[in-house]
Every structure is written in structure tokens, then in C-alpha cells.
Amino acid sequence: MQTLFLSFSQRDSIPALTQHTGLRYFNFIALYIAQGIPEGMLFFGIPAWLAANGKTPMEIAGFVAVCGLPWSFKIILAPMMDRFSYLPMGKRRPWVLFGQFGLIISFVAMAFVPAPLNNMDLFMGAAFTISFFGAFQDVATDGMAVDIIPVVQQARANGFMWGAKIMGTSASLALGSWLLHKYNFTTAILALSCLVCLIMLVPLFLKERPGEKLMPWTAGNASPEAKNMQVTSWKAIFTSLYKVFRLRTSLLFAVMAFIAAGAFNYIDTLLPIFTVQGLGWTAETYSKYYATATLIGGISGMMLGGVLIDKFGKVRMLNIYCGLLIVLIFGFAFQKIYWPATSFIIAFMIGFQMLYVFTNIGLFAIGMQCCWKKISATQFTLYMTIFNVGRVVGARLVGTMKSNFNWEYTLLAFGGFIATAWLIIQFLRINQHVKQVTDFEVRENRHEPQMTRLTIAN
């Protein structure tokens, strides 16, 4: 194996990610498929398997809660990745490899949990470990994306990543569930671990920048770009985060992301209640149609979402998407006469999912562009944390709205949230924000040589 790595390193036959657009897209598609694989099984496949084997709702809810817990640690992991790295192998790549390797090991460990249905504590511990490394890999991958994807390609890359994650989740759920039914638990989980192991070959053989090492024992050196982005103290990380986050556009974007995320999860939470309690659907019918709409939304985002934003601009397309979302929800709420028609509800779900994915691609692309690269993992994770808090608040508002209003006005509240986010978009000044961040970098680069000379003189 070491000879193989040496051979690749000496020939340097594969371009670095910063040198080749196609390889960049391929790299992030693969890594996001790898993220979707554990999510498909942990949050959908295994809970259904537990239910089919007679586990109580309390036990299943506890399992899902344990799986979701490590994702709250992302805000702690991100500064660590900004502070430490083995730069000769790249600023983010060592962390990506570590997270991917952890996913493989923890998947294999879960596969060999003895009698998992009768050993729930150990089973949930294995699930927690998988979810932890999934969150770990997510932070590292997002940091890498901000660092090496050119601004003009970020929207398209987000489209590919979003679609890839949905594909990974769907494939994992379908394959894992079939293997659970056809064979057994160990076979199903080991098969998924093989897929994750196969995907690991992608970051294993693709360097971030030319001249870097593939592995610690191969030839190569830290690139000047990676050295320039490396932060050398915790104080520098949080000082830089404070400087960039308090900028006007950064604060406005955070508020907009909070509101938009709350609005989208408001509908996600409301729809099953509306269709099952309001329209008399079964839970299985809702799940089937909503899963189809989600898949269509993910694929359309992968094929069109990023392309449209690259061609016409982030802010312009977000304006269009928000306008269409408001028209969609008003048209749906005021056409109560068509609610009994299943095709009408399905059409709404598909339209909503497509616009949901397109809007999020634009939001995430703006979030990436607002990041200061040297603290990109920390800053982007902070944005995502605010995004997730918004999702929680949006879900909580459903009960309050439905208790006080009828279905029409409860649905229309979504339009009010989106209209508020749309208004904030008009005040974003992304180019000005980027210039301010560039000025920060210029001032720091001027200051560093002076500090070095003072140190030598002393």
C-alpha cells in the first residue's frame, strides 16, 4: 500500500482539487453521499426496523435522539479544525480522512453489536459514534468547500452536494432496509460500511493543493495558501470570528437564515399534521408521496439549482424563489376546494420541495461567500447552528398557530416568514462584505512581518 501511495505521489498524475473543476465536484459529491449513508439508516431505516420488531415509541425516540445529539457538537469541533491541522497534507483533508475512517470503523463496530434488539444501550452507543463521525466529516467537508471552491462555482457545488446527500440517504435507506429484510442486521450494516470505505478512496487520492503529501510518509510540503490560512491561537480564531460575524451583511444573513430555516421546518412539521388530521390521509400515504417529492427536489437541485444561481446570481435568484414560494403558499391556502384532490397536494409538495432546495442552495452559497477562509469551518458552522435553531423555533410555532387559527391562516403564516426573509435579502451587500474581509487580511499580512521583526530584535 505504501508503494502505491509513493507511486501516485512521485508521478503526481492526478491534479489537485484546486486545479480541476470536475474533480472538485466529484470529490464533494462523493463526500456528501458518504454523509447521507449513515443518516438514511440511523434516522429512517433502523427506527422502522425497531418498530417492526416490537420496540416501543419511547425506545425508538430515544434511539433517534441519541443519533441527533452529536450534531450539536459541530460548533465545538469547527474551531478545533481551524486551530489544528497537518498542513503538509492540506488544511482540511486530514480531518476529512479522519472523519471518514471513523465512519468506517464505527459502522463495522455497530454491525457486530451482539443481539442489538436486546442490547439497546450498546446499540445506541454505536449509533452515537457513527453520528459523531458523520458530524465530524460534515464540518471538515464544509470547511474544505469554502476554502477551495471558487466563489463563481459555490452555488453549483452546493447543488451537487445537496443532491448527493439526498441520493446517499435514499440509497442507504432502500439498500439497508432490503438487506435487513432479506438477510440480517450484520449483513446490512457491513454492506453499508463497504460503501463508505469505497468512498474513502476519493479523499485518499485527491490532494487539496499541488505539492502536498498524499500521506505522511510520501513526498510533499505544506502549500503557501494553507500556511497563510492557518490560525495559530484560539484567541485569533474567536477574535477573527467576532470581527467578521459582526459585519452588517454577516449579521443580516444570519437573521435571514434563521427566519428562512424556521419557515421551511414550519411547513415540514405542519404538512404531516395537515394531510393526516386535516385531509384524512394515512401516515404511509403521506410518507410515500413526501419522500417522492423530496427526491424530485434533491435531483432538480443537483441538476438545475446551482446552474441557475451561477448564471443569474445568488440574490436575484433568491428574490425569484422567495416570490414563487409566497405565490405557491397563497395559491395553495386559498384553493381549499382542491384540497381533497390527492394530485393537487402532491403537486404542492413537489413545487415546495423544489423551491426549498433551490432556496437553500442559494443561502448556503451566500454563507460560504461570507466566510473568512482562515476560520471557514467555525464561521460556516456558526451559520448552520443558527439555521438549525431556526428550524427548532419554526417547528415549535406550528402548535401555537394551529391552536389559534384555521388551516388557511396557519398555512399562510409560512408566506409571512418568507416575506420577512425576502425583505432582509434586499439589504445584503455581499461584494462590500467580501471587500471588508479582504481588507482584514491585508491589514493582518502587513502586521505579521512587523511582529516578526520585533521578535527577532528582542
Side-chain angles (χ1 to χ4, degrees), residues 151-208:
V151 171
V152 295
Q153 296 175 1
Q154 285 177 347
R156 186 171 302 189
N158 269 286
F160 288 144
M161 291 187 291
W162 190 285
K165 189 167 185 176
I166 289 176
M167 288 168 57
T169 302
S170 301
S172 168
L173 178 58
L175 177 62
S177 299
W178 179 78
L179 290 170
L180 278 171
H181 176 74
K182 184 74 174 178
Y183 298 99
N184 54 52
F185 177 80
T186 300
T187 301
I189 302 302
L190 282 179
L192 295 178
S193 69
C194 289
L195 291 178
V196 177
C197 188
L198 184 63
I199 291 172
M200 187 171 180
L201 295 175
V202 176
L204 206 58
F205 288 107
L206 291 179
K207 304 173 185 176
E208 288 182 44

Side-chain angles (χ1 to χ4, degrees), residues 10 16 48 60 63 70 77 89 112 125 133 180 237 255 295 307 345 348 358 363 398 410 422 435 437:
Q10 288 164 357
I60 297 171
F63 178 86
L77 297 173
M89 286 179 59
F112 290 103
F133 283 109
L180 278 171
I237 289 175
V255 174
L295 188 59
V307 175
I345 306 299
F348 169 77
F358 287 179
L363 287 174
V398 169
T410 302
W422 191 10
K435 184 179 182 301
V437 174

Side-chain angles (χ1 to χ4, degrees), residues 66 113 116-128:
V66 164
V113 170
L117 292 171
N118 300 317
N119 199 359
M120 287 298 293
D121 288 342
L122 185 58
F123 187 45
M124 287 194 289
F128 177 91

